[in-house]
Amino acid sequence: MPDTLTLANARLILPSGEVSGAITMRGGEIIEIATGPTLPPGAVDCAGDYVAPGLIELHTDNLERHIRPRPSAHWPHDAAIVAHDAELAACGITTVFDAIRVGSIEGKGGVGWSRYARDLAHELLEMRGAGALKISHHIHLRAEICSETLVEELAQFAPEDRVGILSLMDHTPGQRQFADIDQYRTYMKGKHGLSEEVFLEHVESRTALGARVRDGHEQAAVEAAQRLGAVLASHDDTTVDHVARSAVHGIALAEFPTTEDAARACHQHGIKVMMGAPNLIRGGSHSGNVAAQELAEADLLDILSSDYVPAALLYAAVKLGEIWGDMARAMATVSTAPAQATGLMDRGQLAEGMRADLIRFATVRGVPVLRGVWSAGNRVA
């Protein structure tokens, strides 16, 4: 790409709102923003397309999907990391916190969780260090409370791993996301083909394990976040009591609260609320939990995450812009807000001196169509 690049005749989504103008980047930074309809010599004519900050993804299962594309199929990790990186770039994501589970467990019927976090994180860091990746990658450790090896696995990580987020996950049957055992039965039987007998054995053993390790594992995860300098997040807060417990732990970010009461309590405690983009697009949660749109309309939604569909992030932001009647506010949920929540103060908005992470897109029948993606000034998609 040229040393200096100007995108002009664009609808710039700035922190203060949407304006017509041009934006110039050089050396990986935004060096100038000019308003007005002018088209400087050598500039790219965006023909009225949106230009917005690159998207920032805090919670995605996409890397895990690439390393295990089928329940019994394991893919070479380096190849999976490169493919995952390219997919996110093509969706307009320029910064990602790759979710990696810590905590393994044995289980019948193929429902155990194998240990993989340390090796995958090491491979990801090596690929990043080798310059093999298009976008900016950080680590998000998902601490599975109901597991057998959580403390041991957390001890394998150090501050130099630059873990950005550590989330407390409790997938014990009867807890949080899986509070409704009938819904959990439908989920587990549909995903793993369990018989009723194996399902009941699974519920009994996991419930007993969760009761035995919950308090100790929660405390170990909180201490690990402090040691690693990571932002601490909760997952699937369901009740006001869950949120109060999160507040005691120093939680800063709530991933996918399952009820409006929990989301409202999060705001009362100063905890940012993150919801899934697929939930917003589909019009509701696939698990029967609160709809993201309900929280948006109640002014209880701060950040969007693509969760399990990378392309959902920009699409949901556009849809949220329609709901709120404010595209700048909506785009902040996938750029400025996640950047600030994780302390990345060099990106997340179009402003002079900021990192040149940008996307250019149009909308066709309400669906965003990407025209270009730049990461630190480099064209990556």
Side-chain angles (χ1 to χ4, degrees):
M1 64 171 290
D3 182 55
T4 301
L5 178 65
T6 298
L7 304 178
N9 191 18
R11 298 166 70 180
L12 303 178
I13 301 179
L14 305 180
S16 57
E18 181 185 324
V19 301
S20 175
I23 186 165
T24 301
M25 54 185 128
R26 182 174 64 225
E29 291 187 354
I30 298 169
I31 63 167
E32 183 179 11
I33 295 176
T35 59
T38 60
L39 186 62
V44 174
D45 185 353
C46 292
D49 287 348
Y50 288 106
V51 172
L55 310 183
I56 299 175
E57 173 56 65
L58 301 188
H59 175 116
T60 174
D61 303 334
N62 197 57
L63 179 55
E64 291 185 342
R65 180 176 65 82
H66 276 275
I67 67 175
R68 195 179 180 190
R70 292 288 186 271
S72 60
H74 297 269
W75 205 250
H77 286 184
D78 285 351
I81 290 167
V82 169
H84 160 67
D85 170 72
E87 181 180 359
L88 296 193
C91 294
I93 296 169
T94 53
T95 298
V96 60
F97 287 75
D98 292 308
I100 301 175
R101 173 182 46 77
V102 280
S104 60
I105 188 172
E106 294 184 2
K108 293 183 179 180
V111 294
W113 296 324
S114 60
R115 184 188 307 209
Y116 73 99
R118 179 63 269 180
D119 287 345
L120 182 60
H122 179 72
E123 290 159 338
L124 179 63
L125 294 170
E126 284 196 332
M127 294 298 282
R128 185 177 70 183
L133 306 179
K134 296 174 180 289
I135 67 172
S136 178
H137 288 258
H138 303 260
I139 293 175
H140 172 172
L141 293 182
R142 305 173 66 189
E144 184 52 65
I145 300 303
C146 183
S147 66
E148 297 166 340
T149 63
L150 178 61
V151 175
E152 179 185 346
E153 291 190 52
L154 286 172
Q156 296 176 327
F157 287 84
E160 53 265 30
D161 291 312
R162 292 171 56 193
V163 176
I165 302 172
L166 192 151
S167 56
L168 306 181
M169 316 267 294
D170 191 348
H171 287 116
T172 308
Q175 297 289 322
R176 298 178 179 258
Q177 181 182 0
F178 297 135
D180 188 323
I181 293 297
D182 285 336
Q183 284 193 344
Y184 184 55
R185 175 183 282 105
T186 300
Y187 171 82
M188 291 300 292
K189 287 188 174 182
K191 184 174 182 178
H192 299 285
L194 303 184
S195 68
E196 180 66 12
E197 180 182 2
V198 173
F199 171 75
L200 291 175
E201 290 178 0
H202 165 80
V203 169
E204 182 179 3
S205 63
R206 291 291 176 90
T207 301
L209 175 62
R212 187 170 70 251
V213 304
R214 182 170 295 109
D215 290 345
H217 278 187
E218 275 193 10
Q219 187 58 39
V222 170
E223 292 172 359
Q226 295 170 346
R227 175 174 60 83
L228 297 171
V231 172
L232 194 59
S234 62
H235 192 79
D236 295 332
D237 286 331
T238 301
T239 68
V240 172
D241 287 343
H242 284 160
V243 178
R245 189 180 181 99
S246 293
V248 169
H249 288 323
I251 298 289
L253 176 65
E255 300 181 325
F256 320 136
T258 66
T259 65
E260 183 173 333
D261 285 345
R264 194 172 301 279
C266 285
H267 272 201
Q268 291 170 352
H269 285 284
I271 299 171
K272 297 297 183 182
V273 172
M274 181 168 73
M275 293 297 289
N279 180 322
L280 187 75
I281 292 167
R282 296 177 63 253
S285 164
H286 69 84
S287 300
N289 298 322
V290 68
Q293 182 166 340
E294 292 180 25
L295 298 189
E297 291 171 345
D299 288 329
L300 295 173
L301 190 157
D302 303 301
I303 298 170
L304 284 172
S305 161
S306 71
D307 197 6
Y308 57 93
V309 183
L313 195 56
L314 180 56
Y315 187 11
V318 169
K319 185 175 178 65
L320 191 57
E322 296 172 353
I323 293 169
W324 281 341
D326 187 339
M327 185 66 82
R329 180 187 176 194
M331 287 301 300
T333 68
V334 295
S335 56
T336 310
Q340 293 177 349
T342 52
L344 296 178
M345 307 311 292
D346 64 340
R347 68 197 73 185
Q349 56 183 288
L350 300 186
E352 294 175 3
M354 299 292 281
R355 178 180 161 110
D357 290 349
L358 293 85
I359 59 173
R360 172 190 170 188
F361 68 96
T363 58
V364 178
R365 298 176 61 182
V367 176
V369 179
L370 277 163
R371 309 290 196 200
V373 181
W374 291 263
S375 176
N378 297 306
R379 180 76 179 263
V380 295

